């Protein structure tokens, strides 16, 4: 049972690490999306008539990149949801195993305590009987 518990804890660590990687990748994507928004605010205006033909291409390129990044973010959200489900399931199993282990440990300690008490009672009873017979 303890081996199973260690396996479940390893699974938890693995899921948590995968979730951390996904969240880091999402943060990176969000940062790039924010940078693209900043570029649009700062660079998406016509300063000279010569720059007008390039503006449409610039905006199209940014919109294409934003669409790709948003698609990647959606894919990561789906992957994160799947891992969160696995994480919750593994966590639940690990806690159930832990409860069983705790109960088994409690029962084992209780049995050991009862055996020790019975042994001590036997020693005390024998000593009392010897004293009653006058033996020391």
């Amino acid at each position: 049972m303890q081996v199973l518990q260690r396996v479940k804890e390893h699974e938890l660590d693995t899921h948590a690490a995968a979730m951390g990687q996904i969240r880091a990748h999402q943060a990176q994507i969000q940062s790039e999306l924010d940078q693209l928004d900043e570029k649009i605010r700062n660079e998406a205006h016509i300063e000279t008539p010569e720059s007008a033909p390039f503006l449409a291409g610039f905006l199209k390129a940014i919109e294409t990149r934003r669409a790709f990044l948003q698609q990647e973010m959606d894919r990561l959200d789906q992957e994160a949801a799947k891992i969160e489900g696995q994480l919750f399931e593994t966590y639940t199993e690990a806690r159930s195993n832990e409860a069983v282990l705790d109960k088994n440990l409690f029962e084992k300690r209780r049995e050991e305590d009862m055996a020790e008490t019975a042994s001590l009672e036997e020693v005390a009873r024998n000593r009392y009987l010897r004293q009653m017979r006058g033996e020391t």
Side-chain angles (χ1 to χ4, degrees):
M1 189 61 134
Q2 289 177 339
V3 171
L4 180 61
Q5 182 64 13
R6 283 193 298 245
V7 167
K8 289 300 174 188
E9 288 173 2
H10 178 71
E11 284 180 32
L12 281 172
D13 292 343
T14 302
H15 292 317
M19 186 62 77
Q21 288 176 336
I22 288 172
R23 295 301 182 212
H25 193 196
Q26 284 179 318
Q28 186 180 25
I29 289 172
Q30 187 59 53
S31 175
E32 189 173 344
L33 286 168
D34 293 344
Q35 288 172 1
L36 289 174
D37 288 343
E38 186 67 25
K39 270 189 172 183
I40 287 175
R41 278 192 298 276
N42 293 334
E43 300 174 24
H45 48 82
I46 300 173
E47 291 183 13
T48 64
E50 294 83 29
S51 65
F54 300 106
L55 182 60
F58 171 75
L59 293 175
K60 176 90 168 131
I62 286 188
E63 195 52 45
T64 300
R65 182 68 181 160
R66 283 182 57 75
F68 170 78
L69 292 173
Q70 191 57 54
Q71 191 176 29
E72 183 68 6
M73 188 71 89
D74 293 343
R75 183 188 68 76
L76 289 171
D77 282 341
Q78 290 174 355
E79 195 173 324
K82 181 177 135 189
I83 291 174
E84 283 174 350
Q86 292 170 339
L87 192 62
F88 180 74
E89 183 179 315
T90 302
Y91 178 81
T92 303
E93 290 172 3
R95 293 307 140 238
S96 295
N97 292 342
E98 192 174 286
V100 169
L101 283 172
D102 287 347
K103 183 179 178 188
N104 288 344
L105 183 61
F106 175 78
E107 289 296 323
K108 183 179 177 186
R109 285 183 183 159
R110 194 174 128 237
E111 288 172 8
E112 289 171 353
D113 289 346
M114 289 173 61
E116 183 180 356
T117 301
S119 175
L120 290 174
E121 286 175 353
E122 180 70 24
V123 168
R125 186 175 26 258
N126 288 339
R127 187 170 185 203
Y128 175 77
L129 290 174
R130 276 187 270 154
Q131 285 178 346
M132 293 302 289
R133 287 181 270 177
E135 301 173 13
T136 333

